[in-house]
Amino acid sequence: MPKVFALGATRGLGEAVSAALGQPLAPLEERGFEDGEHKARPMVSVRGVDAYVIQSLHGGPDESPNDKLARLLFFIAALKTNGAARVTAVVPYLAYARKDRQTKPRDPLTARYVAQLIEAVHTDRVLTLEVHNPVAFQNAFRCEAVALDCRGVLLERAAALAGEGAVTVASPDPGGVKRAQLFREALETRIGRSVGFALMEKRRSAGVVSGSLLAGDVQGARVLVVDDMIASGGTMVRAAQAVRAAGARDAWALAAHGLFTQGAQAAIADQAVAGWIVTDTVPPFRLRGDPVADRIETISAAPLFADAIRRLNGNLPIIDLPAAGS
């Protein structure tokens, strides 16, 4: 069996993954020092083992994405220094994945730089969930890069929402069309009937979002707006308002990662969205104590990651669904 470690910032999700695997997390020590430095080390021998390290790279509540990335890199390097045969970085939420191309003169390609840092400590494989752009993700890494997609977590809930009436899957922007199309196809297979498709126009310049065109027939349908992440929630609200104005019965927001950054409270409270559904790759710490948190449903991604680890360790195909970029 492989050894599975979870660093402190992602301990809760790590314990859920280990429970789904049916084996305890491998013990490790993490220490912080007065000047802000830190160290982490495995408390068991890792010589010759296949090791998995779980660390989600979201910001907060106590550590920035940069802090979490540094801790992940140092721990992977420690495993390699102490003889681990193979190390997989299990990164439920991969920071900086959105910055995968130059949109302004002299822009950085931060997604590639993060990949280079992860590879620099001799990481053998990266496993994550629902990256912003699967093609850019795969091209950024030279080690094995595996991106699970949100169908593996959200499909059953979507099938329940579909019920017996008309249902449509919508992308809230052109960049998410492939993701929404694949989700639609999987949902059609799951419920055994036709599912509609819609697309919302979106343009962003200098932080200002515009675009109001909606393509697709949503009249009388329950619309499932599918995206990789929810930050402020404004994109989901815009899409929900558009489909409701076009005659949709209601609109639900589904995404892998719920960041719920500044301003998200107002978006979540907006009644244009009937409900918000995310996974637990990012804990909802920014909404603790806020009544709007009751409108968010969280589905655990732990069984999906546990199954991926089990299959990778047995050299089996990751999932039965087609790859996210196919």
Side-chain angles (χ1 to χ4, degrees), residues 21-22 30 49 70 95 122 148 152 194 223 230 238 270 279 286 318:
L21 277 170
E30 288 187 81
V49 307
H122 305 291
L148 307 174
S194 177
V223 179
I230 298 168
R238 287 178 66 254
D270 196 305
T279 80
R286 295 185 179 96
I318 294 295

Side-chain angles (χ1 to χ4, degrees), residues 1-8 10-11 13-19 21-30 40-47 49-54 75 79 84 86-88 309:
M1 294 292 291
K3 283 186 168 39
V4 181
F5 298 89
L7 293 170
T10 315
R11 183 78 185 185
L13 181 55
E15 289 174 344
V17 172
S18 74
L21 277 170
Q23 69 177 79
L25 289 172
L28 59 87
E29 177 194 36
E30 288 187 81
R41 66 183 178 118
M43 298 299 286
V44 291
S45 174
V46 294
R47 187 165 302 280
V49 307
D50 194 2
Y52 292 78
V53 185
I54 304 172
F75 189 69
L79 293 175
R86 185 180 183 90
V87 179
T88 299
I309 291 170

Side-chain angles (χ1 to χ4, degrees), residues 159-272:
L161 284 172
E164 300 298 326
V167 62
T168 293
V169 171
S171 174
D173 56 57
V177 166
K178 189 64 176 178
R179 176 183 301 107
Q181 286 176 331
L182 291 171
F183 199 95
R184 172 201 179 193
E185 292 167 6
L187 184 58
E188 283 185 328
T189 300
R190 173 63 182 80
I191 65 177
R193 68 176 195 272
S194 177
V195 173
F197 182 76
L199 163 65
M200 181 71 192
E201 178 192 22
K202 177 182 173 183
R203 299 190 301 274
R204 186 190 299 273
S205 180
V208 177
V209 175
S210 61
S212 58
L213 296 178
L214 174 69
D217 183 10
V218 298
Q219 181 69 40
R222 167 162 287 171
V223 179
L224 310 180
V225 186
V226 178
D227 209 352
D228 60 324
M229 70 175 66
I230 298 168
S232 70
T235 294
M236 286 294 197
V237 170
R238 287 178 66 254
Q241 290 172 341
V243 300
R244 293 290 296 274
R249 176 162 44 108
D250 58 17
W252 291 71
L254 288 75
H257 313 294
L259 304 182
F260 302 121
T261 55
Q262 185 174 2
Q265 288 85 348
I268 296 165
D270 196 305
Q271 295 301 306

